Amino acid sequence: MPETELTLGEIHALARDCLAGNGCDAANAEAVAATVTAAERDGAVSHGLFRLPGYVAALRSGKVDGAAAPVVERLSPALLRVDGGGGFAPGALQAGIPALAEAAHATGVAALAVVRAHHFAALWHETEALAERGLAALACTAYMPAVAPAGAREALFGTNPISFAWPRPGDTPVVFDMATAAMAMGEVQIAARDGHAVPPGTGLNAAGEATTDPAAIAGGGVLLPFGGYKGSAVSLMVELLAAALLGERFSFEAAAADNKDGGPPRGGEFILALSPNWMAAGGPESGADTEAEADAGAGRDWAQHAAGLFERIGQLDGARLPGARRHHRRQDAGPRAVNAALVGKIRGLCEAR
Amino acid sequence: MPETELTLGEIHALARDCLAGNGCDAANAEAVAATVTAAERDGAVSHGLFRLPGYVAALRSGKVDGAAAPVVERLSPALLRVDGGGGFAPGALQAGIPALAEAAHATGVAALAVVRAHHFAALWHETEALAERGLAALACTAYMPAVAPAGAREALFGTNPISFAWPRPGDTPVVFDMATAAMAMGEVQIAARDGHAVPPGTGLNAAGEATTDPAAIAGGGVLLPFGGYKGSAVSLMVELLAAALLGERFSFEAAAADNKDGGPPRGGEFILALSPNWMAAGGPESGADTEAEADAGAGRDWAQHAAGLFERIGQLDGARLPGARRHHRRQDAGPRAVNAALVGKIRGLCEAR
């Protein structure tokens, strides 16, 4: 496929202008464009410009309010809710994440309920933002049915991603962000196009039978959770945390309420922030000789302790720290190769308005 | 294998007396015996009487203090630590769980760091106990190296279980509790004994090659995480939450410090409690017309909302709610069939003292 080179600044401007030209106010256009640009910067192209047509469709159909003003509410010292006001999630997160970090620094643990927002991006944006503030973070969100619970043959769960980040002061966080589906449907479609089989456990065909033929999965079949019934349990947990716990929509409810414009449905996101400064200090391995020393932060520090584990992993032939490949790509400040047809399509979406 | 029938009362007395006869004070013997009995009651036999010889070995070697008096410390309104004092985890949990529930009811979210405790039981005991108090709960703990990180050929992670429970007022919680290993080593050994192959992805042989031969895995090989690199990331998260975050030992550190008496090593456990009463009320789907109504708990309630998801799952042919099988076994108040040789061994451990 022909590609065109764009600088990160050009990617940002393209996304921002396209969103602004389709109903986003400046703040929301900036927030979404920053997320799109960070994805392209890290080589996470399926969450980059690739998503813009969906964002625009949701603005044009009126499903998403491009001028939404998110409101942060403090429910308790450890609990926050951000009402996205029916806008895109990046705006809600920009409002909620600093408040969540502040609460976690004040109490050691805090949770953020993101509601009435439309999520269409990776979750590492928010978990990394918390890790960069010295916090461990966990985030998850539901979507629309694409995955059959283990043992079943019909989709009920979303691809339900879960992200976790661990802070490394002075270094990039250790972070993972993964669908709880065995494989994203986009990857299955690419395998079908290229004529490659997918691994057993990826999905079922339209008759509900296990298959390694990606075309049979993409053509009326269904995805399976990663890791069989264990991954299915994790996916169920995501539905409960992102929907039942927050009073937001399950994947099947989101699909029923969605206008099918191709953009993101309304949903909830659960985010947890934990402070190692609070929790590790005074623990048995903190190295402090007395409780008073531990209180004063003496002894071996949590970052040094965790570095010992990462070093062990680094010594294992074949193992890799999650997030490392993406952070490596981030080092490159140069232009990015972007699908030329996609760029043309996005430019058309700006001008058509 | 010959089996003998014991009532739940007899199982409890056998465990309690054996522990008390080997150095446990009354409180610790009761706490561990309750955990063992609940496992036998639910048919979770690998966490029942099967563990008693290990508990006793740890008492006899002096690794575990049978008279430990756990201390609960409130680090913040949302954060608690229980210092197990070098005893078995059930005692520490008996002290910590009510305090954690109280904090979560007061602030909506709370975390408990369990440190200086020796964990040898399932985690559903503690997550279910929180769910029975109307809270969603997540718990995880590391152990000793048995699992190779994805891509590697050497064990570094423990089997690192993770448990999640969702409350259903008036009904048993929906709960899962699973090793992040593809399969427990005990199950691999049973497959080897019975001559069954294990699924691809279960483990590697001593040469570090993938195999479906359970004897090759059990005989000097290594387990793999469930679900490939995704499960490996979850297992890494467990190491970070249960050790780095709490200032406790990673699996590899626990193994290095352990005296290899066959009993549980010292380690940490991370437990999170979340209140749907707090978090769902006032959410978009709470059904309340006004904020004041939502505050008063009006509208559709979170339990009813979640029941809608469980009903959908129940309608899917082949799908099952996690925990259901165990809770079904719980209904049976009758005696349990226990391996006769094991019972004899445990009786010998009481008398030998």
Side-chain angles (χ1 to χ4, degrees):
Chain A
M1 286 175 302
E3 291 185 322
T4 182
E5 294 225 318
L6 294 179
T7 66
L8 293 175
E10 287 167 342
I11 289 169
H12 187 276
L14 177 63
R16 184 196 56 209
D17 295 349
C18 187
L19 291 159
N22 282 278
C24 267
D25 65 13
N28 279 286
E30 280 291 342
V32 175
T35 301
V36 165
T37 306
E40 292 286 346
R41 177 199 64 193
D42 284 11
V45 295
S46 63
H47 284 101
L49 289 170
F50 178 73
R51 299 272 166 170
L52 259 192
Y55 280 120
V56 169
L59 289 167
R60 290 188 177 181
S61 77
K63 182 172 75 184
V64 169
D65 180 359
V71 175
V72 180
E73 205 184 340
R74 182 176 294 258
L75 304 176
S76 89
L79 189 58
L80 298 140
R81 178 187 288 142
V82 53
D83 181 335
F88 292 122
L93 293 163
Q94 217 163 57
I97 292 294
L100 174 61
E102 200 185 320
H105 285 305
T107 62
V109 52
L112 173 67
V114 182
V115 298
R116 271 191 258 262
H118 294 255
H119 211 295
F120 214 37
L123 302 179
W124 53 260
H125 299 284
E126 39 268 37
T127 56
E128 281 199 21
L130 290 162
E132 280 158 11
R133 289 167 165 89
L135 300 163
L138 183 72
C140 60
T141 184
Y143 193 62
M144 291 200 281
V147 175
R153 291 184 298 269
E154 282 169 63
L156 180 68
F157 298 150
T159 47
N160 294 3
I162 183 164
S163 176
F164 175 79
W166 178 263
R168 292 195 293 181
D171 199 349
T172 49
V174 171
V175 53
F176 69 77
D177 182 355
M178 60 195 206
T180 53
M183 191 179 275
M185 191 54 98
E187 289 175 74
V188 173
Q189 286 162 341
I190 288 168
R193 183 194 70 193
D194 297 349
H196 299 143
V198 292
T202 301
L204 307 175
N205 65 20
E209 298 155 342
T211 180
T212 58
D213 175 7
I217 298 169
V222 69
L223 295 170
L224 288 174
F226 86 101
Y229 75 93
K230 292 189 179 189
S232 188
V234 175
S235 189
L236 171 62
M237 177 178 78
V238 172
E239 294 278 344
L240 291 168
L241 290 177
L245 183 67
L246 312 188
E248 253 291 358
R249 291 173 179 160
F250 294 118
S251 293
F252 80 87
E253 294 172 329
D258 193 63
N259 68 358
K260 313 284 189 285
D261 58 15
R266 199 194 83 190
E269 180 179 358
F270 170 81
I271 312 180
L272 179 73
L274 300 156
S275 165
N277 271 349
W278 271 88
M279 298 185 77
E285 298 288 297
S286 67
D289 282 335
T290 66
E291 240 180 80
E293 269 186 34
D295 287 345
R300 182 165 62 152
D301 117 313
W302 58 264
Q304 198 186 334
H305 184 205
L309 176 67
F310 302 139
E311 195 186 329
R312 287 281 181 137
I313 294 173
Q315 287 161 353
L316 294 176
D317 192 29
R320 191 198 324 248
L321 284 178
R325 193 156 33 179
R326 205 162 40 69
H327 293 144
H328 179 74
R329 292 195 193 110
R330 189 179 294 181
Q331 305 308 312
D332 176 5
R336 297 296 188 270
V338 184
N339 182 296
L342 176 63
V343 173
K345 183 176 177 183
I346 293 169
R347 290 203 169 116
L349 289 173
C350 299
E351 289 155 11
R353 191 71 178 181
Chain B
M1 287 174 303
E3 291 186 323
T4 184
E5 293 225 319
L6 295 179
T7 66
L8 293 175
E10 286 167 343
I11 290 169
H12 187 275
L14 177 64
R16 184 196 57 209
D17 295 349
C18 187
L19 291 159
N22 281 280
C24 265
D25 65 12
N28 279 286
E30 279 292 342
V32 175
T35 301
V36 164
T37 306
E40 292 286 346
R41 178 198 65 195
D42 285 10
V45 295
S46 64
H47 284 102
L49 290 170
F50 178 73
R51 299 272 166 170
L52 259 193
Y55 280 120
V56 169
L59 289 167
R60 290 188 176 181
S61 78
K63 182 172 75 184
V64 169
D65 180 359
V71 175
V72 181
E73 205 185 341
R74 182 176 293 258
L75 303 176
S76 89
L79 189 58
L80 298 139
R81 177 188 290 142
V82 53
D83 181 335
F88 292 123
L93 293 164
Q94 217 163 58
I97 292 293
L100 174 61
E102 200 186 319
H105 285 306
T107 61
V109 51
L112 173 67
V114 182
V115 298
R116 270 192 259 263
H118 294 256
H119 211 294
F120 214 37
L123 301 179
W124 53 260
H125 299 284
E126 40 267 37
T127 57
E128 282 199 20
L130 290 162
E132 280 158 11
R133 290 167 164 89
L135 300 163
L138 182 72
C140 60
T141 185
Y143 193 62
M144 291 200 281
V147 176
R153 291 183 299 270
E154 283 169 62
L156 180 66
F157 298 150
T159 46
N160 294 2
I162 183 164
S163 176
F164 176 78
W166 179 263
R168 292 196 293 181
D171 199 350
T172 50
V174 171
V175 53
F176 68 77
D177 182 354
M178 59 195 207
T180 53
M183 192 179 275
M185 191 54 98
E187 290 174 74
V188 173
Q189 286 162 340
I190 287 168
R193 183 193 70 192
D194 297 349
H196 300 143
V198 293
T202 301
L204 308 175
N205 65 19
E209 298 153 342
T211 180
T212 58
D213 175 7
I217 298 169
V222 70
L223 295 171
L224 288 174
F226 86 101
Y229 75 92
K230 292 189 178 188
S232 188
V234 175
S235 188
L236 171 61
M237 177 179 77
V238 172
E239 294 279 343
L240 291 168
L241 290 177
L245 183 67
L246 312 188
E248 253 292 357
R249 290 172 179 160
F250 293 117
S251 293
F252 80 88
E253 294 173 330
D258 193 63
N259 69 358
K260 312 284 188 284
D261 58 15
R266 200 194 82 190
E269 181 179 357
F270 170 81
I271 312 181
L272 180 73
L274 300 157
S275 165
N277 272 349
W278 271 88
M279 298 185 76
E285 299 288 296
S286 67
D289 281 335
T290 67
E291 240 180 82
E293 269 187 31
D295 287 345
R300 182 165 62 152
D301 117 309
W302 58 264
Q304 198 186 333
H305 185 204
L309 176 67
F310 301 139
E311 195 186 330
R312 287 282 180 135
I313 294 172
Q315 287 163 354
L316 294 176
D317 192 29
R320 189 197 328 246
L321 284 178
R325 194 156 31 179
R326 204 161 42 68
H327 292 144
H328 179 73
R329 293 195 192 110
R330 188 178 296 182
Q331 304 309 312
D332 176 5
R336 297 295 189 270
V338 183
N339 182 295
L342 176 63
V343 172
K345 183 176 178 183
I346 293 169
R347 290 203 170 118
L349 289 174
C350 298
E351 289 155 12
R353 192 71 177 180

